[in-house]
């Protein structure tokens, strides 16, 4: 079995000075939510073996804060393909993952995450809130066997649900 965790970046700071959307930072609320989700996942499990994050400031900051606060000790890789990715882009990234990885976390954006969950499990038509994490399990031995419609949504956790 392979487990995919999708983490959406925390709430961003629209009032911060930035030139391009890619450079928009996290708001205080987003930083707090990233830490909260890191601690929660450390208690709940499973924690990621590896994290691949969008290169956007708000996504990579979320990934690092959650990883640090949760004590996951997972290596974090940045991949610019996750910024503005389609579900097909996400599928290609997942299929290329090393077989030694049992639990992969991707950190990215909306609407990609809602669309990707729907593609992997079918029938998901919810909004994916900031700092939420979705767990999708695939009954496969290798990441290269992952496909659309083959996943099972085990849970989705939202920061507001954990208060």
């Amino acid at each position: 079995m392979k487990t995919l965790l999708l983490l959406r970046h925390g709430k961003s700071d629209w009032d911060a000075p930035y030139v391009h959307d890619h450079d928009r930072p996290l708001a205080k609320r987003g930083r707090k939510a990233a830490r909260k989700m890191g601690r929660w996942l450390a208690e709940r499990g499973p924690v990621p073996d590896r994290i691949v994050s969008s290169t956007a400031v708000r996504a990579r900051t979320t990934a690092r804060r959650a990883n640090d606060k949760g004590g996951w000790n997972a290596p974090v890789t940045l991949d610019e393909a996750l910024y503005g990715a389609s579900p097909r882009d996400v599928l290609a990234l997942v299929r290329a993952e090393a077989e030694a990885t049992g639990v992969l976390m991707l950190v990215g954006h909306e609407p990609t995450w809602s669309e990707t969950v729907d593609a992997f499990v079918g029938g998901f038509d919810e909004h994916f809130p900031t700092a939420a994490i979705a767990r999708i399990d695939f009954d496969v031995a290798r990441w290269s066997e992952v496909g659309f419609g083959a996943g099972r949504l085990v849970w989705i956790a939202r920061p507001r649900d954990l208060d």
Side-chain angles (χ1 to χ4, degrees), residues 3-21:
T3 297
L4 176 64
L5 301 172
L6 298 177
L7 170 60
R8 183 177 174 202
H9 65 78
K11 194 68 139 171
S12 59
D13 186 351
W14 289 91
D15 295 326
Y18 61 92
V19 176
H20 302 285
D21 177 72

Side-chain angles (χ1 to χ4, degrees), residues 41 50 63-64 69 73 80 100 103 106 117 140 154-155 163:
L41 190 59
R50 189 165 104 82
R64 290 185 177 130
K69 197 59 174 180
N73 300 316
E80 62 187 25
V103 180
L106 303 180
V117 172
V140 297
V154 178
W155 46 254
D163 288 334

Side-chain angles (χ1 to χ4, degrees), residues 1-143:
M1 182 177 77
K2 298 293 186 182
T3 297
L4 176 64
L5 301 172
L6 298 177
L7 170 60
R8 183 177 174 202
H9 65 78
K11 194 68 139 171
S12 59
D13 186 351
W14 289 91
D15 295 326
Y18 61 92
V19 176
H20 302 285
D21 177 72
H22 188 271
D23 301 324
R24 188 164 18 106
L26 286 179
K28 182 178 178 182
R29 178 176 152 197
R31 293 188 301 270
K32 181 180 174 184
R35 293 189 303 265
K36 178 186 215 176
M37 297 310 285
R39 287 190 304 269
W40 178 83
L41 190 59
E43 293 170 9
R44 163 99 186 210
V47 298
D49 299 316
R50 189 165 104 82
I51 301 167
V52 181
S53 174
S54 159
T55 54
V57 171
R58 60 194 179 275
R60 66 181 192 237
T61 304
T62 298
R64 290 185 177 130
R65 284 183 175 268
N67 192 17
D68 291 346
K69 197 59 174 180
W72 306 338
N73 300 316
V76 178
T77 303
L78 302 180
D79 191 325
E80 62 187 25
L82 285 174
Y83 182 76
S86 71
R88 288 216 171 274
D89 298 329
V90 175
L91 176 62
L93 195 150
V94 168
R95 284 183 170 169
E97 183 59 32
E99 299 311 329
T101 304
V103 180
L104 173 64
M105 174 178 274
L106 303 180
V107 184
H109 310 272
E110 269 295 278
T112 302
W113 276 181
S114 294
E115 294 168 354
T116 299
V117 172
D118 184 54
F120 280 139
V121 306
F124 183 84
D125 57 359
E126 297 179 38
H127 172 71
F128 204 107
T130 55
I133 303 173
R135 175 183 173 177
I136 303 171
D137 286 349
F138 297 92
D139 189 19
V140 297
R142 294 179 295 281
W143 288 107

